[in-house]
Amino acid sequence: NAGVTQTPKFQVLKTGQSMTLQCAQDMNHEYMSWYRQDPGMGLRLIHYSVGAGITDQGEVPNGYNVSRSTTEDFPLRLLSAAPSQTSVYFCASSYLAAGLTDTQYFGPGTRLTVL
Amino acid sequence: AQTVTQSQPEMSVQEAETVTLSCTYDTSESDYYLFWYKQPPSRQMILVIRQEAYKQQNATENRFSVNFQKAAKSFSLKISDSQLGDAAMYFCAYRALDSGSRLTFGEGTQLTVNP
């Protein structure tokens, strides 16, 4: 199993450009989520999904869109990049049931810089 | 809304010594999960230990143990016999029982291990 994969690992954008961060998992996890990590602020939830066709907003959703057409993939779209979106982005997945089986697995992260 | 606070931005410990990282949280829920994640320079998020709030016994995983004080809403991580490989950013995280797998993270504590 590859686990949770993210592409690209690094990206530089100009203000106003759009792009999609890719996330895929091969563990048949129902739950997938996107976090952003900023210095001194820990990880904050952007959007999450509990299954194909179902998404919901997290703590900091503005400026981001998501969709979940398959169980495996959960892309994050930046509609019009802003310098405030400079951050490290993590995708995570897990089974949905509560208990020991719902440990979240994180991808390696994408470092995004918006100039 | 739940909040998680780590009041120690940086900590250091001598190799082979013991160090304790602090975490407090705020919630109105009676049942929930608490986690400690480790993030080494590779950026990968690694689950260190988890605690179910309904369990009175403190969780342990080899050299890692927690001191869970439910009434005080405190969840500290003790690392015994510290090793150079323990150097990392450590995040405390909370998950309510009915929130799927949504995690709320603290700000993080950067741990340095001195040889």
Side-chain angles (χ1 to χ4, degrees):
Chain A
N1 285 351
V4 180
T5 58
Q6 290 183 236
T7 56
K9 285 188 169 51
F10 301 93
Q11 183 70 49
V12 179
L13 292 177
K14 294 181 179 179
T15 297
Q17 287 184 316
S18 63
M19 78 158 295
T20 299
L21 307 184
Q22 301 292 344
C23 174
Q25 51 90 12
D26 61 358
M27 297 172 281
N28 204 30
H29 287 164
E30 303 97 336
Y31 182 89
M32 296 186 75
S33 57
W34 278 101
Y35 294 87
R36 60 177 288 173
Q37 182 180 14
D38 302 295
M41 300 185 73
L43 279 74
R44 293 180 293 167
L45 183 65
I46 304 171
H47 285 286
Y48 67 98
S49 168
V50 298
I54 306 169
T55 64
D56 205 347
Q57 296 180 352
E59 182 184 355
V60 288
N62 292 341
Y64 308 95
N65 270 1
V66 292
S67 60
R68 183 99 178 267
S69 56
T70 67
T71 299
E72 294 79 18
D73 300 296
F74 190 45
L76 178 72
R77 297 182 186 85
L78 280 69
L79 307 173
S80 178
S84 61
Q85 293 178 304
T86 294
S87 187
V88 179
Y89 292 84
F90 287 95
C91 180
S93 74
S94 73
Y95 293 112
L96 197 55
L100 293 176
T101 57
D102 69 347
T103 296
Q104 289 213 20
Y105 294 85
F106 284 82
T110 295
R111 181 177 292 279
L112 175 69
T113 302
V114 182
L115 303 176
Chain B
Q2 295 87 4
T3 58
V4 178
T5 302
Q6 294 177 247
S7 59
Q8 306 155 315
E10 297 176 347
M11 292 282 286
S12 63
V13 63
Q14 291 296 124
E15 198 174 2
E17 298 290 308
T18 296
V19 64
T20 299
L21 308 184
S22 301
C23 173
T24 59
Y25 58 94
D26 186 26
T27 182
S28 58
E29 304 290 332
S30 60
D31 209 357
Y32 46 86
Y33 298 93
L34 295 164
F35 305 84
W36 278 99
Y37 279 87
K38 171 185 178 181
Q39 186 181 43
S42 67
R43 252 185 5 218
Q44 186 68 44
M45 294 288 287
I46 303 165
L47 178 66
V48 175
I49 200 166
R50 61 179 282 161
Q51 173 81 40
E52 290 83 2
Y54 62 86
K55 290 186 177 178
Q56 293 186 344
Q57 186 173 7
N58 289 325
T60 61
E61 286 288 342
N62 300 315
R63 297 182 294 106
F64 298 87
S65 62
V66 298
N67 183 7
F68 173 49
Q69 302 288 329
K70 191 173 184 179
K73 296 180 181 175
S74 169
F75 182 60
S76 61
L77 175 70
K78 185 171 82 172
I79 307 174
S80 304
D81 186 25
S82 297
Q83 300 175 0
L84 295 178
D86 295 332
M89 181 72 84
Y90 286 82
F91 291 99
C92 178
Y94 165 100
R95 181 172 77 79
L97 200 63
D98 62 349
S99 66
S101 287
R102 300 180 63 178
L103 290 169
T104 300
F105 286 86
E107 306 90 336
T109 297
Q110 182 68 51
L111 178 66
T112 301
V113 181
N114 300 309

